Amino acid sequence: MSMASRDLVPATSKNPPLATDKISPAVVTPGLGGSSTQNPVVDHRLQNPVVDHRFQNPVIDHRLQNPVSDHSLRPSHELDNAAIKPLSLRPAGMPTRGHPMAGERGFFSSDDSALNKQIQATHAPDMEDLNVKPILSIIEDILRLARPQTTLDHTTITPLGAQTPAHLDASVDKTSRGAYHDEKAYQTTTNRDDKAYQPSYRDEKAYQPSYIDDKAYHASYLEAEILKVLAYPINKVSNEIICKCSGGGESNQLTMDLLKSLGSYSWDAKIVIAFAGFAINYGEFWLVEHLHTKNPLAKNIATLKDLPDTLAHAGGGELRKQFDAVIDLLAEILKVTHCIIEFKELPPLYINTQSPEITAATAHIPSAVYWSVRGLLVCASTLLSLIGGGHEFMTATSVSWEILNLAHKLRVILEHLQNQMKICRDIIERKKFEDAYVKFKRLLETAHIDNMRVLTELFRFKDDQRPLYDGSRRTNEPLTALKLKYVLLLISDLDFPPEELHVLHLIQNERSMTHDYEVLWLPIVDSKTMTPFEDKKFYDLRNGMPWYSADHPSVVNPVAIRYAREELRVTHRPMLVVLDPHGKLSHHDALPMLWIWGAKAFPFTKDWERRLWDESRWNIELLADHIDPRIQEWINGNKVICLYGGEDIVWIRNFTQASRTAARALGVTLEMLYVGKRNPREKVRQCHDIISREGLSQIFSTEYYDYVWYFWERLASMWNSKKQIGQTVENDIIMKGILDLLTFDSSEKGWAVFSRGNYDITMGIGEKVLPVIERYADWAIEVDHPDKFVPVLDKHLRGYHPEHHCHRLILPGQAGYIPETVVCTECGKMMDKYVMYRCCTD
């Protein structure tokens, strides 16, 4: 017995009645999923009975005023179309021909405010919120499995209403037909005795559809409960839809009546219940159509409904358009339904239900529900009109324009809801991100059993994913490879200076195998906006690093990127953040320590940094020991070492020749090394080539640019490190020496530092040191031993004051600490302070 013929009154009080449950028990007229009966059917809306000659019992048809004869005995093409009257959605005066949207103005010209008031008047919720998503999932399955195969083989409905090629759904079609598509299963004997006549499809194994699986049809407890709660309302609405569509009437009133019957439910529950009620009828209709050529039961039902002859016309143009339009409208209703449920599921923890964004969106939900329910009634009426030759009526009246208009209306509503949803989700994401950021900051400030919790928060990846790339072994590794180790987070963007990368390689190679720390490159890049060029650039950098790297910028947690930019103030220069084995941040930037002391800087703590400085002295070993291995050899040989720089090749020639002449005359073993200039440019390269070609002094033999950069970067790192531990120029001799060298480098001429081994040291600017060296004969008598060369030179440099000098000072750009006053290294006067912007090109 079909749902259409069931009593509309629940059997027990367990079934929750609808809000306006005033419909008397009645059996519906034959329709979508309905059937006739041998008992009188009374429709209390009508006054006069009509005799149905097929059953010898009166059938009351209250739409008519006079008894009519049974039309079922005539050929189908002679049927009185009034017997199955489709739902009329065309307001008076609406055009019937022309472009499908030609009547849109009249169709949507009603006063929206008045309509909204009518819709709101039907809403009187008195039930708790229900999770209707399991019901919606079943509806989606019905729409997918019940697609009209005969007429619409080129498309199929997907769960979100999108269109997909039919060949992708071929396997679904095959399985959805189940085992009862086996023709042998329906072979029956001609003997009419009960046993022989029994068709073999009664065999449960053969009848069982193959698409049934545990996941889809063994629902969870929650799903089972919601199905129990809503089963009766859904089936009642299913019957109401048939009643309303077969009885005809004005569409707005019929929609309002259905909404009133659902008044006690929330808006999302209303539309899902109505949709589920329609889906029952829709599924029954197409189930008969799918099986009528194979299943005897379906064939008999289809014969009584005259469906085979009706659907044979689907190959034509007009009926084909009807089905296309129905499927498109159902797809739009499904999208709107999903969107409404999404609004309900927005987390109140992050967005207030009274916020303007939510209010602006939810104000349109009642209208969306109204037009969706109205669309379901139109679709039901369209399919109902197929029964008993109704396709002729459909073709004649061309009702597809109504469906197209409704689909257009719902698309407009959906676009607005989706825009509001995007606004709401943006707000939620911002608040979630803010909470995650605060949590991440607390995490870094707290000690843990190990560092895995912090490392896990640095990345976002799937459980089976290995987010680390080991550059030394060229393999992907899990985070556990860093467990309980000091982790040096090398943080930078993709513009990683090649000289820094090269020097880091050198330091990494010098690292003692006993040091329990690892370097991990964390690229600070927005992976969503990466171009193919940037993607290649990343892999080139990653593959050239002998330490760990993030496998891709997309696995780096955005909160970690924000922390690096806001708290650590990472800009275009790399930083080295240290996490101890317990995941606590122990140093905000250990890169200066690494440049100064290399692997000796381990474990990169502030206390260890202070201890290293306490053991350091202002000498040539501190200045250049890590720059060139020859420095240590010269120190061990107690030679006089001269480091000089500048980019004036004339001064360089004069200075190197004068120094060598003085050293030979005084019996001093002199080693000279050209260290260029801070921010080396083309002139430095030219000077380097000339010095090498003319043999003026020692130079960095290979990759000179990297070593020149390293020398000056170490000076800047010393300045920063001293500043971070609270030292100043006034109370620290090393900072004073660094400041003097930075001042010398800012001049147009050169400069020089002289040191005897690792003991005496002196320095001077080019316009001062060259005249003193050239006049070595004036003080040569004081150098009675080579060890006195540097102290005597220092004495005469301090006593020499050029008539005119102009010193400038450019401090490291990332230093942060700017002294209030700076004393001139030459005359001892206070230097004036200016703001300087300088380009590094010639």
Side-chain angles (χ1 to χ4, degrees), residues 761-763 788-799:
I761 188 171
T762 187
M763 67 182 69
K788 292 185 177 181
F789 176 79
V790 175
V792 172
L793 178 61
D794 178 66
K795 172 185 173 182
H796 285 271
L797 285 174
R798 293 178 182 276

Side-chain angles (χ1 to χ4, degrees), residues 333-375:
I333 296 173
L334 192 59
K335 293 176 187 176
V336 170
T337 305
H338 273 285
C339 196
I340 291 173
I341 293 176
E342 284 183 38
F343 275 106
K344 180 184 175 181
E345 293 178 338
L346 291 178
L349 179 64
Y350 296 105
I351 187 164
N352 193 329
T353 55
Q354 303 302 319
S355 65
E357 295 80 12
I358 290 290
T359 303
T362 54
H364 291 266
I365 288 179
S367 177
V369 172
Y370 169 85
W371 290 108
S372 296
V373 172
R374 188 162 167 170

Side-chain angles (χ1 to χ4, degrees), residues 13 17 53 72 100 146 153 204 254 295 317 360 376-377 400 404 457 483 539 683 729 790 797 825:
S13 59
H53 299 288
S72 65
D153 290 337
E204 292 187 4
L254 296 179
N295 189 311
L376 292 173
L377 291 174
S400 63
L404 293 173
E457 288 298 321
K483 187 174 182 178
Y539 283 113
K683 287 184 179 180
V729 175
V790 175
L797 285 174
T825 58

Side-chain angles (χ1 to χ4, degrees), residues 180-367:
Y180 40 69
H181 268 206
D182 182 3
E183 293 188 13
K184 293 182 180 179
Y186 302 105
Q187 296 295 332
T188 59
T189 66
T190 57
N191 189 349
R192 294 295 302 229
D193 80 44
D194 293 341
K195 184 176 181 180
Y197 184 70
Q198 186 72 17
S200 62
Y201 66 81
R202 294 284 183 176
D203 178 68
E204 292 187 4
K205 184 176 181 181
Y207 186 77
Q208 184 71 14
S210 62
Y211 63 81
I212 296 180
D213 56 53
D214 292 341
K215 186 176 181 181
Y217 290 93
H218 295 280
S220 65
Y221 173 79
L222 180 61
E223 293 176 345
E225 286 301 307
I226 192 64
L227 289 171
K228 289 179 182 179
V229 171
L230 295 181
Y232 173 72
I234 288 172
N235 283 276
K236 183 173 181 179
V237 167
S238 174
N239 293 332
E240 283 193 43
I241 289 175
I242 297 174
C243 289
K244 295 181 184 300
C245 293
S246 61
E250 197 273 320
S251 58
N252 175 67
Q253 187 58 49
L254 296 179
T255 306
M256 289 296 180
D257 290 344
L258 192 55
L259 288 178
K260 286 177 184 177
S261 68
L262 297 170
S264 61
Y265 295 94
S266 60
W267 292 111
D268 63 309
K270 290 182 203 290
I271 189 171
V272 171
I273 292 173
F275 211 156
F278 167 82
I280 290 175
N281 301 326
Y282 183 81
E284 288 176 352
F285 179 89
W286 288 114
L287 187 61
V288 171
E289 189 278 329
H290 288 175
L291 302 179
H292 77 276
T293 60
K294 303 287 186 179
N295 189 311
L297 177 61
K299 179 179 180 180
N300 290 332
I301 295 175
T303 300
L304 293 178
K305 292 189 175 186
D306 194 20
L307 287 181
D309 292 337
T310 299
L311 296 178
H313 293 76
E318 190 62 33
L319 194 55
R320 175 66 167 267
K321 293 178 182 178
Q322 299 286 345
F323 288 138
D324 285 340
V326 167
I327 289 178
D328 290 343
L329 178 54
L330 292 177
E332 295 302 325
I333 296 173
L334 192 59
K335 293 176 187 176
V336 170
T337 305
H338 273 285
C339 196
I340 291 173
I341 293 176
E342 284 183 38
F343 275 106
K344 180 184 175 181
E345 293 178 338
L346 291 178
L349 179 64
Y350 296 105
I351 187 164
N352 193 329
T353 55
Q354 303 302 319
S355 65
E357 295 80 12
I358 290 290
T359 303
T362 54
H364 291 266
I365 288 179
S367 177

Side-chain angles (χ1 to χ4, degrees), residues 292-497:
H292 77 276
T293 60
K294 303 287 186 179
N295 189 311
L297 177 61
K299 179 179 180 180
N300 290 332
I301 295 175
T303 300
L304 293 178
K305 292 189 175 186
D306 194 20
L307 287 181
D309 292 337
T310 299
L311 296 178
H313 293 76
E318 190 62 33
L319 194 55
R320 175 66 167 267
K321 293 178 182 178
Q322 299 286 345
F323 288 138
D324 285 340
V326 167
I327 289 178
D328 290 343
L329 178 54
L330 292 177
E332 295 302 325
I333 296 173
L334 192 59
K335 293 176 187 176
V336 170
T337 305
H338 273 285
C339 196
I340 291 173
I341 293 176
E342 284 183 38
F343 275 106
K344 180 184 175 181
E345 293 178 338
L346 291 178
L349 179 64
Y350 296 105
I351 187 164
N352 193 329
T353 55
Q354 303 302 319
S355 65
E357 295 80 12
I358 290 290
T359 303
T362 54
H364 291 266
I365 288 179
S367 177
V369 172
Y370 169 85
W371 290 108
S372 296
V373 172
R374 188 162 167 170
L376 292 173
L377 291 174
V378 173
C379 292
S381 177
T382 301
L383 295 179
L384 184 63
S385 299
L386 287 171
I387 296 175
H391 63 278
E392 298 175 358
F393 177 82
M394 289 177 60
T395 304
T397 56
S398 185
V399 297
S400 63
W401 70 270
E402 297 170 331
I403 300 177
L404 293 173
N405 275 327
L406 279 169
H408 174 70
K409 178 75 174 180
L410 287 172
R411 275 193 290 270
V412 173
I413 293 174
L414 178 64
E415 183 179 0
H416 176 79
L417 290 176
Q418 288 175 336
N419 289 337
Q420 292 301 129
M421 175 61 71
K422 184 179 184 303
I423 294 172
C424 293
R425 291 207 176 278
D426 287 345
I427 294 173
I428 292 170
E429 288 303 314
R430 286 198 298 269
K431 291 184 178 180
K432 282 185 176 180
F433 187 74
E434 193 64 35
D435 286 355
Y437 181 64
V438 172
K439 177 183 175 183
F440 182 79
K441 289 174 64 176
R442 284 200 301 264
L443 200 64
L444 286 180
E445 297 166 359
T446 307
H448 308 278
I449 297 176
D450 56 39
N451 56 359
M452 291 309 298
R453 186 177 177 187
V454 173
L455 291 175
T456 302
E457 288 298 321
L458 285 176
F459 298 92
R460 53 177 185 182
F461 56 96
K462 298 178 182 178
D463 292 340
D464 59 345
Q465 187 177 1
R466 297 188 170 200
L468 302 182
Y469 179 79
D470 188 345
S472 61
R473 292 185 292 178
R474 302 296 178 93
T475 58
N476 284 89
E477 301 294 337
L479 281 177
T480 52
L482 303 176
K483 187 174 182 178
L484 288 174
K485 292 185 178 182
Y486 280 89
V487 179
L488 278 56
L489 299 176
L490 182 60
I491 304 175
S492 76
D493 56 19
L494 297 183
D495 293 324
F496 204 114

Side-chain angles (χ1 to χ4, degrees), residues 532-545:
F533 172 77
E534 291 174 326
D535 206 52
K536 181 181 182 302
K537 190 174 184 180
F538 163 77
Y539 283 113
D540 289 343
L541 281 171
R542 189 200 71 172
N543 297 337
M545 294 179 176

Side-chain angles (χ1 to χ4, degrees), residues 623-727:
L623 271 180
D625 182 38
H626 292 279
I627 303 299
D628 194 303
R630 292 172 294 182
I631 297 291
Q632 191 60 47
E633 297 177 6
W634 297 340
I635 291 174
N636 295 337
N638 198 32
K639 296 180 179 180
V640 172
I641 303 168
C642 174
L643 304 180
Y644 71 98
E647 57 185 12
D648 185 341
I649 191 60
V650 174
W651 181 90
I652 290 174
R653 284 194 181 103
N654 294 335
F655 170 73
T656 54
Q657 291 173 2
S659 298
R660 292 194 179 282
T661 299
R664 285 194 298 269
L666 300 174
V668 173
T669 304
L670 177 66
E671 296 289 351
M672 305 182 72
L673 178 65
Y674 175 65
V675 295
K677 191 175 180 65
R678 188 176 166 208
N679 297 322
R681 297 171 290 177
E682 180 61 22
K683 287 184 179 180
V684 172
R685 187 193 66 78
Q686 293 174 357
C687 291
H688 187 274
D689 293 343
I690 294 173
I691 293 170
S692 175
R693 186 170 58 251
E694 298 180 5
L696 301 178
S697 72
Q698 300 283 357
I699 57 171
F700 295 121
S701 57
T702 59
E703 298 175 331
Y704 82 94
Y705 180 92
D706 294 346
Y707 290 99
V708 169
W709 170 87
Y710 189 23
F711 175 83
W712 292 101
E713 184 62 27
R714 287 187 75 251
L715 283 179
S717 298
M718 293 177 195
W719 176 270
N720 289 328
S721 178
K722 281 284 187 178
K723 178 260 300 183
Q724 288 177 4
I725 64 174
Q727 300 296 326

